[in-house]
Structures are given as structure tokens and as C-alpha cells.
Amino acid sequence: MSSEGTVDLDRLREWIGREETRVDQATAAPIAAMSATLDREDPEPKPGTDVPPLWHWLYFLPLAPMSDVGPDGHPKRGGFLPPVPLPRRMFAGGRFEFHRPLKIGETITRTSRITDVTGKAGRSGTLVFVTVRHDLANDGGVALSEEHDIVYRENPRADAPVPKPTPAPAGESFSREIVPDPVLLFRYSALTFNSHRIHYDRSYAVGQEFYPALVVQGPLLATMLLELVWVQLPGAVLREFRFRAVRPSFDTHPFTLNGTRSGNKLQLWTADEDQQLALTGPQHVPRRARHRP
């Protein structure tokens, strides 16, 4: 039972197996805009240039008309995704397999399928997890397989226990401090056409979803972690990548991107200003380069 309404998990699980297919073109302008947002000094992107890993989020944008947008800025519940009746929605994690690069100028087909819907009662209330698989294909076949987890949850109750933070690992081999601000969050939201108000509307984030500040996008954190890898390990290969969001990061404090390497294995994570873990995931980096930005 939820204070926002009853969660009928059996009905929501009827969405498992639903599919949709979309077609897009990997154009150059979003790549140049993302490069500027991340302060990269890249040459002008041209047809045939590789799309860096995770920058596929610049395509297949959710172009819901304004009449179909809900109060949180997301498209109204229902449609392809199940209509989970809980007010908070977050990107909880993702798993990626990189088979071959996507390239600027080519046509890409994305086939999406809902693979699971689960629920549980946590200490902070009802949680519902929706897992979606995307397969992105170009002329060579499937280039990228992605599974991402969306978590829906209640607004925090006054009597709910404060979640105990998880200390970040120590002994990082490389690290970079990021000072987030509303401009960075707005730019990334604009590039990905993510109109969720917790990332740019402070009064909504604080007054309606009860966050202390603007929330840094989980996909932005994951993208920045890979940027750290490319700086530290030029020419590194990425065959797979996965991450899990442990707790939100906010625009009011710096956070750090961190990593360690042991052979061809990486451990990557982000840590808040108080050295609490925010986003984490072990990675595997093969010795021979095959897919790099």
C-alpha cells in the first residue's frame, strides 16, 4: 500500500514483454554540444566519426507533446512504460554491452522491450522497479545492448528512517573533482530532452519531491566516469559497462569521480563531498583497443 495510491503489481507486470521500435539518425550537432558541455577539445564531428560510449543518449529523445507531460515534467504515466502510481522516478542503474561503434551520419534502429517489473516495501516506503532493454542496431547489426532500471518510489514520510549512507572506497588510483551547477544540469537535460523538473526547477525539486537541491542526472554521472577513464587510460577498450545509483548527488556540493585499476579490471565510483558513495560499478577493460571515444 502506498500513501499515493495502491500499487497493483499484477497489473503493472502486464507490461512485461511490450516492445517498441524507433529509428533515428546519429547527427553531428548533439555530439558537438555534448563535447562543449563536458569541456572536451574535440575536432568538429564529421560523418563516420565514432559516437563515444553512452552518448547514444543524445538520440531517440522522448518527444512527448506538452499536452502529454505530467506535473513532474515526464510524459504522463502509461503508454510504453507501465503507469506506476508513485511520484518519484529515478534512473537506478544500467548495464551495457558494446559490440561495435555507432557512427555519425548513420541511421540507427532502437528496439526496446520491458523485461521485468518488480516491487518491494523498503524502509522508506513502496518501491517499484522497471527494467527496459534497448538494442541499438546499425547496418552492421546490433551495435549496443543496454538494460536500464527505473525506480519509482513514494515521497519521504516524516517518520521514515534516514537511509544510512555507504562510505566510498578508499585508495583510488585516479580522481577528479566536479563542481556541478544549474547550468551543467540544464545543458545535459536539454541535450537529452529530459524535462524531469528535479534537474532544473529548484522550487519543484525541494517543495514537491523533497530533495535538498537540484539532482545531478545519473546518466551524466556515468558519462563523466567514462570521461575519467579516457583521460587516464587513452586507447582503453570498453566492451561492457555497468553502474548502480546508490544515492543522489546534488548541485550544492562538489563530488569526485574515482577509479582504481587492477590488470584489465576497473572499479569506478562517484563520491559526495562527505566521501559517501553515490554511484558505483566494476568494469572490465580488455587489453586491445576496440571501442573508444
Side-chain angles (χ1 to χ4, degrees):
M1 176 71 69
S2 162
S3 60
E4 322 299 334
T6 301
V7 174
D8 186 345
L9 194 60
D10 288 338
R11 177 171 179 267
L12 297 178
R13 287 181 59 82
E14 293 176 2
W15 265 253
I16 295 175
R18 291 200 179 193
E19 292 189 358
E20 69 172 15
T21 300
R22 297 181 59 191
V23 178
D24 204 351
Q25 185 176 27
T27 54
I31 298 296
M34 177 64 86
S35 179
T37 298
L38 297 178
D39 272 332
R40 288 173 49 141
E41 297 181 356
D42 292 327
E44 179 183 354
K46 297 181 179 180
T49 302
D50 288 1
V51 174
L54 301 190
W55 292 29
H56 68 285
W57 283 321
L58 302 177
Y59 306 110
F60 304 101
L61 303 184
L63 303 178
M66 284 299 295
S67 57
D68 288 341
V69 173
D72 61 356
H74 277 303
K76 292 177 182 177
R77 306 298 171 91
F80 174 65
L81 290 174
V84 181
L86 298 173
R88 279 181 160 190
R89 170 180 166 176
M90 298 287 287
F91 200 135
R95 295 160 297 283
F96 308 83
E97 294 182 27
F98 301 98
H99 308 294
R100 60 179 58 83
L102 299 169
K103 294 184 180 293
I104 295 175
E106 64 186 5
T107 298
I108 308 169
T109 300
R110 187 184 74 179
T111 303
S112 304
R113 182 174 183 269
I114 296 175
T115 60
D116 202 8
V117 178
T118 60
K120 72 175 185 178
R123 290 181 298 175
S124 59
T126 302
L127 302 171
V128 173
F129 296 88
V130 177
T131 301
V132 183
R133 180 182 174 91
H134 303 291
D135 288 305
L136 280 68
N138 53 18
D139 288 343
V142 175
L144 166 63
S145 299
E146 170 188 2
E147 284 189 337
H148 79 260
D149 303 316
I150 306 167
V151 59
Y152 298 82
R153 62 196 316 160
E154 300 178 56
N155 281 324
R157 301 191 303 262
D159 61 346
V162 177
K164 185 177 180 180
T166 302
E172 62 274 8
S173 303
F174 42 88
S175 182
R176 179 187 176 192
E177 183 180 74
I178 301 293
V179 180
D181 63 28
V183 177
L184 173 65
L185 272 58
F186 169 80
R187 277 190 163 198
Y188 189 77
S189 285
L191 283 169
T192 55
F193 211 67
N194 177 5
S195 54
H196 194 184
R197 293 167 65 179
I198 64 173
H199 304 305
Y200 60 87
D201 184 342
R202 193 176 304 275
S203 62
Y204 174 86
V206 175
Q208 298 298 315
E209 296 204 21
F210 306 102
Y211 292 108
L214 295 178
V215 180
V216 181
Q217 298 94 332
L220 175 58
L221 293 173
T223 300
M224 286 182 162
L225 274 178
L226 289 192
E227 288 296 299
L228 180 69
V229 172
W230 310 138
V231 170
Q232 296 295 324
L233 304 172
V237 180
L238 197 67
R239 289 183 180 168
E240 61 182 47
F241 176 70
R242 57 189 183 274
F243 73 90
R244 179 174 59 89
V246 177
R247 74 171 188 168
S249 295
F250 303 100
D251 74 320
T252 46
H253 298 285
F255 60 86
T256 55
L257 311 169
N258 307 279
T260 61
R261 183 180 184 183
S262 176
N264 59 347
K265 293 184 179 180
L266 286 176
Q267 178 73 32
L268 303 173
W269 69 92
T270 70
D272 293 340
E273 79 285 353
D274 54 0
Q275 292 304 303
Q276 301 302 320
L277 188 65
L279 185 144
T280 185
Q283 316 304 331
H284 177 68
V285 178
R287 291 184 173 83
R288 295 185 60 190
R290 189 184 67 171
H291 192 168
R292 59 181 179 175

